[in-house]
Amino acid sequence: MTPQSRPAAPAPALEVQSLSVAYGKVPALRDISLRVEAGSIVTVIGPNGAGKTTLLGAIAGLLPSRGGIRCLGASAAPWSVEQRVARGLVLVPEKRELFTSMSVADNLQLGAFARRRDRGARTTLAEVYARFPQLAERRDQLAGTLSGGERQMLALGRALMARPSLLLLDEPSLGLAPLIVRKIFSIVGELRQAGVAVLLVEQNARAALQLADYGYVLETGECALEGPASELASNPRVVASYLGRAGRPAA
Amino acid sequence: MDLSIAALLAQDGVTNGAIYALLALALVLVFTVTRVIWVPAGEFVAYGTLTLAGLQLGKPPGTVGLLVGLAIVAGAVEAVATLRRREYARLPLRLALWVGVPVLIAALVWWAAPRQFPLAVQVVLTVAAVTAMGPLQYRIVFQPIADASVLVLLIVSVAVHLALTGLGLWFFGAEGSRTPAFSSASLQWGELTFSAQSLLVVLTSIVLIAALRLFFGKTLYGKALRATAVNRVGARLVGISPGLAGSLTFALAALLCAFSGVLIGPITTVYYDSGFLVSLKGFVGAIIGGLVSYPLAAAGAVLVGLLESYSSFWASAFKEVIVFTLIIPVLLWRSLTTRHHDEDA
Ligand SMILES: Nc1ncnc2c1ncn2[C@@H]1O[C@H](COP(=O)(O)OP(=O)(O)O)[C@@H](O)[C@H]1O
Ligand SMILES: [Mg+2]
């Protein structure tokens, strides 16, 4: 807390301390701790049902949890989902949760709802359209009529409209063709360059570990392994369980 | 029945239908955004008529006391919630919003009552007072149970209806009120005669519906309400708080009810408990739109008005029976043509 120590150790974008989540009496996550440094990509990999979506839901405030969640040095515990969004903690959920009967442009405009009092939304919109030219082409089309890849771009674009400092991505590659997955992942890499911290949940472990700086392996609600992404990618256990097959078949 | 009678009945039907349409839209709005089937809509209609009637007689309407009472309860609820979340710094602003604003409106109505301002001013005061009650009711009753199932919300809604009817009797008394017509002029067009009163009612409804459409289509807050109706989780993830959406929704719905009350005042005598039957007709219209479609709900409400008008000519004793029996074939048709989906999907 001394003034000298502050520049030496900037607060991590996200710090989760022994987080536990249960659905009723059934525990889904036990004692998870993880850190995302500012401007880095951290990935959480693991099989279906390991609790990855639950983890992101708890961090975003959608699910009640025990344990600590600190965002840029401040405890997020008292904040509602909306207050977390306003502070730059933004989730792109597994189900996308788009406003299907509204236009692409309206979806994006609403993405900036949390910062409706600042004037920068127009510039951000131009940036998002520049990043996703397909969305610009389809701006007047209803979100429900988009293809899977475009939906994921819209979900990502909508989240970027909130100018996140920490982006939570839940399986952005789910159900997408390899070409689009590559495009999404390259955009996530660009976001890191722009200073956005990313917590990336993936079943596509190969791609995720290639991109990320650090990784965690989640198995049945517990953290089984952690380490720098390159080390995890060569860890025999990870190779056997997650990298053995040449990628997952597209769902 | 000759043409002129038919035309007269049609005019009556469309006039009433325009009023029911406002109610139908309010019910669709409340249901789609908050999942509440808003049974007490009728009480807000009655409060609208009775408030305007009080102002026209030059005595402070019961609305004043009711508004202050609701504001105090809502303020207490908000204070407890704020202190529990330890957001001490926000308490003054929230109290100003939840208690200060409604009490200010109540004071204005109380002050204006004996001064016999022109009708337009009285209408504005009436609408302001009744509109303010919408968010208060939401804050006290529906916000704390916002995540409950549709069935629980409906049961609570019925309870609120009963409570507000009782409060209506307490604050407004048992006598009915009828406000004078806005205009007694009539227009001749060939064989047909239109009363300016009817035209005014229909025109007001059309203007309100157009304004609502503009609000939902063009403004950020209008889009935020639509977004909440389409996808509750998605709305929270972009930072639209359910509390904000709910308060705004109930303010709009109460505003529509207040206008219905003002418009229906010269047509029929309104008692503290008359609103329920009126809102039930709006409800039949809303059901025709499946409680989700605005245009179908409005059209359904006009249909209800016409049916009521013609059945009062042919079988006046069965007027209400015929109108409410309409709901059975409509429900059958709806259940056959729409597919069901989970309420929280
Ligand atoms: N809404 C829910 N109610 C009860 N159990 C749930 C719910 N959502 C997930 N679960 C359970 O929690 C565990 C973790 O699920 P999830 O977080 O979705 O895993 P992942 O995203 O890693 O596939 C699973 O066993 C799942 O069955
Ligand atoms: Mg998942």
Side-chain angles (χ1 to χ4, degrees):
Chain A
M1 275 299 132
T2 56
Q4 293 94 321
S5 70
R6 216 178 274 157
L14 176 75
E15 206 174 358
V16 170
Q17 286 150 345
S18 42
L19 187 82
S20 300
V21 180
Y23 290 104
K25 287 207 165 121
V26 186
L29 281 183
R30 274 176 305 270
D31 233 9
I32 304 290
S33 296
L34 60 81
R35 263 169 97 89
V36 182
E37 299 298 342
S40 73
I41 298 176
V42 172
T43 185
V44 175
I45 57 175
N48 222 335
K52 305 182 298 295
T53 297
T54 304
L55 174 67
L56 293 193
I59 296 171
L62 288 171
L63 297 171
S65 59
R66 282 186 298 113
I69 299 170
R70 298 180 71 78
C71 187
L72 288 168
S75 170
W79 301 341
S80 64
V81 178
E82 305 83 53
Q83 288 169 325
R84 290 176 206 213
V85 174
R87 286 163 170 87
L89 183 69
V90 181
L91 169 68
V92 179
E94 194 174 357
K95 292 187 195 152
R96 322 302 192 226
E97 312 287 8
L98 297 173
F99 309 124
T100 46
S101 61
M102 299 176 77
S103 70
V104 167
D106 283 349
N107 271 270
L108 291 175
Q109 189 192 1
L110 285 165
F113 187 86
R115 37 191 291 257
R116 58 194 175 280
R117 281 185 255 282
D118 87 35
R119 304 229 159 268
R122 212 165 270 280
T123 356
T124 318
L125 185 63
E127 284 167 25
V128 168
Y129 279 146
R131 237 186 249 288
F132 304 101
Q134 259 158 298
L135 294 183
E137 275 166 36
R138 303 186 184 278
R139 68 182 79 195
D140 295 321
Q141 207 170 309
L142 297 186
T145 65
L146 298 180
S147 70
E150 289 162 348
R151 277 173 199 238
Q152 180 61 312
M153 288 177 198
L154 181 55
L156 198 53
R158 187 179 72 176
L160 293 180
M161 289 298 294
R163 285 206 160 280
S165 49
L166 172 65
L167 197 56
L168 309 171
L169 297 179
D170 198 347
E171 306 224 22
S173 73
L174 191 70
L176 300 187
L179 201 68
I180 299 167
V181 173
R182 218 169 305 149
K183 156 128 191 170
I184 299 265
F185 273 54
S186 87
I187 286 169
V188 174
E190 287 167 31
L191 291 176
R192 166 173 51 191
Q193 237 116 67
V196 180
V198 179
L199 183 58
L200 171 68
V201 156
E202 261 303 332
Q203 282 197 41
N204 187 343
R206 186 182 303 276
L209 288 175
Q210 240 166 42
L211 178 68
D213 302 299
Y214 200 84
Y216 296 83
V217 179
L218 201 62
E219 279 169 3
T220 57
E222 287 179 70
C223 183
L225 268 177
E226 66 170 287
S230 51
E231 281 177 29
L232 279 185
S234 56
N235 181 307
R237 226 184 108 188
V238 174
V239 172
S241 316
Y242 303 106
L243 305 176
R245 289 162 296 148
R248 281 181 321 121
Chain B
M1 164 156 58
D2 60 18
L3 183 68
S4 67
I5 293 183
L8 208 66
L9 290 175
Q11 191 182 138
D12 261 9
V14 170
T15 308
N16 287 339
I19 296 173
Y20 302 151
L22 296 182
L23 276 158
L25 296 184
L27 290 167
V28 170
L29 172 63
V30 167
F31 180 71
T32 51
V33 178
T34 66
R35 298 174 307 129
V36 173
I37 294 170
W38 195 35
V39 183
E43 278 58 66
F44 284 74
V45 176
Y47 292 172
T49 314
L50 296 172
T51 305
L52 186 62
L55 286 174
Q56 296 204 327
L57 289 177
K59 52 181 192 190
T63 327
V64 173
L66 193 53
L67 200 49
V68 171
L70 287 175
I72 290 171
V73 178
V77 171
E78 182 69 22
V80 169
T82 304
L83 295 180
R84 257 210 204 133
R85 307 196 57 184
R86 297 170 201 277
E87 295 172 331
Y88 306 113
R90 293 168 190 245
L91 191 59
L93 183 69
R94 288 185 182 169
L95 285 183
L97 205 64
W98 285 107
V99 186
V101 173
V103 167
L104 201 71
I105 294 173
L108 209 59
V109 171
W110 179 77
W111 172 81
R115 288 178 168 71
Q116 301 276 357
F117 285 110
L119 179 66
V121 176
Q122 292 178 341
V123 169
V124 169
L125 285 171
T126 300
V127 170
V130 175
T131 301
M133 284 186 214
L136 291 175
Q137 168 219 232
Y138 171 74
R139 185 65 194 87
I140 296 168
V141 184
F142 293 113
Q143 190 177 337
I145 55 164
D147 293 324
S149 69
V150 170
L151 182 62
V152 169
L153 290 171
L154 174 61
I155 292 167
V156 171
S157 191
V158 171
V160 173
H161 156 65
L162 295 173
L164 287 183
T165 311
L167 287 172
L169 176 60
W170 174 265
F171 280 99
F172 292 98
E175 313 91 74
S177 298
R178 190 166 185 150
T179 52
F182 303 119
S183 161
S184 54
S186 64
L187 290 109
Q188 197 72 34
W189 190 58
E191 291 282 286
L192 308 173
T193 315
F194 296 98
S195 76
Q197 169 71 23
S198 293
L199 287 178
L200 202 67
V201 169
V202 174
L203 210 65
T204 309
S205 289
I206 291 175
V207 168
L208 278 172
I209 292 171
L212 208 60
R213 205 187 152 83
L214 217 59
F215 173 74
F216 284 126
K218 299 282 180 226
T219 69
L220 182 65
Y221 282 91
K223 288 175 187 176
L225 292 191
R226 273 165 66 207
T228 309
V230 177
N231 190 324
R232 221 165 295 283
V233 176
R236 297 198 71 187
L237 290 176
V238 298
I240 302 166
S241 87
L244 175 69
S247 312
L248 188 55
T249 294
F250 273 97
L252 283 174
L255 178 120
L256 290 170
C257 289
F259 270 107
S260 315
V262 167
L263 294 178
I264 211 169
I267 295 175
T268 172
T269 306
V270 172
Y271 299 85
Y272 70 97
D273 62 351
S274 303
F276 183 60
L277 211 59
V278 180
S279 73
L280 220 48
K281 287 168 191 161
F283 184 70
V284 175
I287 287 289
I288 291 175
L291 269 181
V292 293
S293 160
Y294 290 94
L296 277 183
V302 174
L303 183 71
V304 169
L306 285 170
L307 197 67
E308 179 188 36
S309 163
Y310 283 105
S311 54
S312 69
F313 178 77
W314 275 308
S316 70
F318 295 103
K319 182 178 90 168
E320 313 289 12
V321 179
I322 292 173
V323 167
F324 292 121
T325 313
L326 173 67
I327 208 166
I328 295 171
V330 165
L331 283 176
L332 253 153
W333 164 68
R334 284 219 70 90
S335 69
L336 290 177
T337 53
T338 53
R339 60 193 174 80
H340 292 270
H341 37 87
D342 292 337
E343 70 173 35
D344 52 4

